[in-house]
Amino acid sequence: MLVAAAVCPCPPLLVPEVAAGAAPELDAARAACDEAVRTVLAARPDLIVVVGEGPVTRTHEQGARGSFRPFGVDREVRLGAAPEGAEASAHRLPLSLTVGAWLLDRAGWTGPVAGYEVEGDRSWPTNGEDGVHLAARADRVGFLVMGDGTACRSVKAPGYLDDRAEGVDASIAQALGNGDRDGFFANLDEDLARELKISGRSPWQILTAASEEDGNWRVLYEDAPYGVGYFVADRS
């Protein structure tokens, strides 16, 4: 059963070593992420599942590795401590789960953890089924859900400026604040998400299906630095 959740963005620049001189620009987002993760830890989950987009759909077990080397920093992170005697996983964490693993390490989480990498263009019914199954992996499950909004909020954004982006990001923030009461995530079109370079669609759909309606939702951060919609929210 899902007892708490944190929603965080997953740009590599969230990691100060990667951002280098630009690190202060995301201080507010970083602080909000820390607060949201603390909400999950405070619920004393038996297991934390980190959910994020990647090129394939698969589970990453505890101890899986990710790296920030592609972004110029010689640093690896683990998805929690590898169980004693466990063999190293052949699968590397995608960026979304690598940033999630970094956030959990930063928060000092030492309990059980797993990762779930999900393709961005999967259908809502399938993502919804995954959410139910992931929330049932333990009696008390916490989610750390990684994903960005549109990447088209300015002419310097990765996807250039798209007039639709600001309105879509506003709807994302509203859905995160009310637990997707109106079904926005379930109905978020995969083609639109692809055109606006949204990486959070599938992870947010998984969260929606896993959540109970009576959860307490908060949006802790909402902004578009670098022309990309970043959101931090939690659910207790």
Side-chain angles (χ1 to χ4, degrees):
M1 175 178 127
L2 188 72
V3 295
V7 174
C8 296
C10 52
L13 291 176
L14 201 63
V15 180
E17 298 96 310
V18 177
E25 296 178 17
L26 287 181
D27 277 349
R30 218 171 276 120
C33 289
D34 290 341
E35 181 177 352
V37 172
R38 285 195 297 269
T39 295
V40 176
L41 271 57
R44 302 174 66 88
D46 300 320
L47 170 71
I48 291 179
V49 180
V50 186
V51 182
E53 185 178 287
V56 299
T57 297
R58 62 185 164 206
T59 298
H60 294 267
E61 297 302 336
Q62 185 163 321
R65 294 176 181 269
S67 176
F68 293 106
R69 286 194 189 97
F71 306 98
V73 174
D74 187 15
R75 179 174 178 182
E76 283 201 343
V77 295
R78 280 184 180 269
L79 191 63
E84 187 174 350
E87 295 184 5
S89 172
H91 302 303
R92 305 287 287 187
L93 298 174
L95 174 61
S96 61
L97 299 190
T98 298
V99 176
W102 175 80
L103 284 171
L104 286 181
D105 180 68
R106 177 178 166 94
W109 174 252
T110 58
V113 59
Y116 193 69
E117 175 183 355
V118 59
E119 296 162 90
D121 59 357
R122 295 172 89 224
S123 68
W124 153 247
T126 304
N127 285 332
E129 291 169 6
D130 284 353
V132 173
H133 294 153
L134 290 171
R137 285 195 55 167
D139 289 339
R140 298 179 61 81
V141 175
F143 272 13
L144 174 53
V145 180
M146 310 299 297
D148 300 338
T150 70
C152 304
R153 292 281 296 273
S154 73
V155 294
K156 294 184 178 181
Y160 197 69
L161 177 65
D162 190 308
D163 291 340
R164 300 171 295 177
E166 185 173 356
V168 171
D169 277 343
S171 296
I172 290 170
Q174 181 177 355
L176 289 172
N178 65 23
D180 200 20
R181 183 175 56 236
D182 301 322
F184 173 78
F185 291 139
N187 293 301
L188 181 55
D189 182 72
E190 61 194 66
D191 291 330
L192 176 65
R194 189 183 307 110
E195 290 167 9
L196 296 180
K197 300 187 180 300
I198 297 170
S199 70
R201 175 185 170 274
S202 283
W204 296 331
Q205 287 186 347
I206 287 173
L207 172 62
T208 292
S211 301
E212 300 290 338
E213 292 183 0
D214 58 355
N216 179 33
W217 294 85
R218 302 185 300 167
V219 174
L220 304 174
Y221 177 89
E222 174 192 355
D223 203 353
Y226 317 116
V228 181
Y230 294 153
F231 309 91
V232 181
D234 63 12
R235 180 264 187 197
S236 58

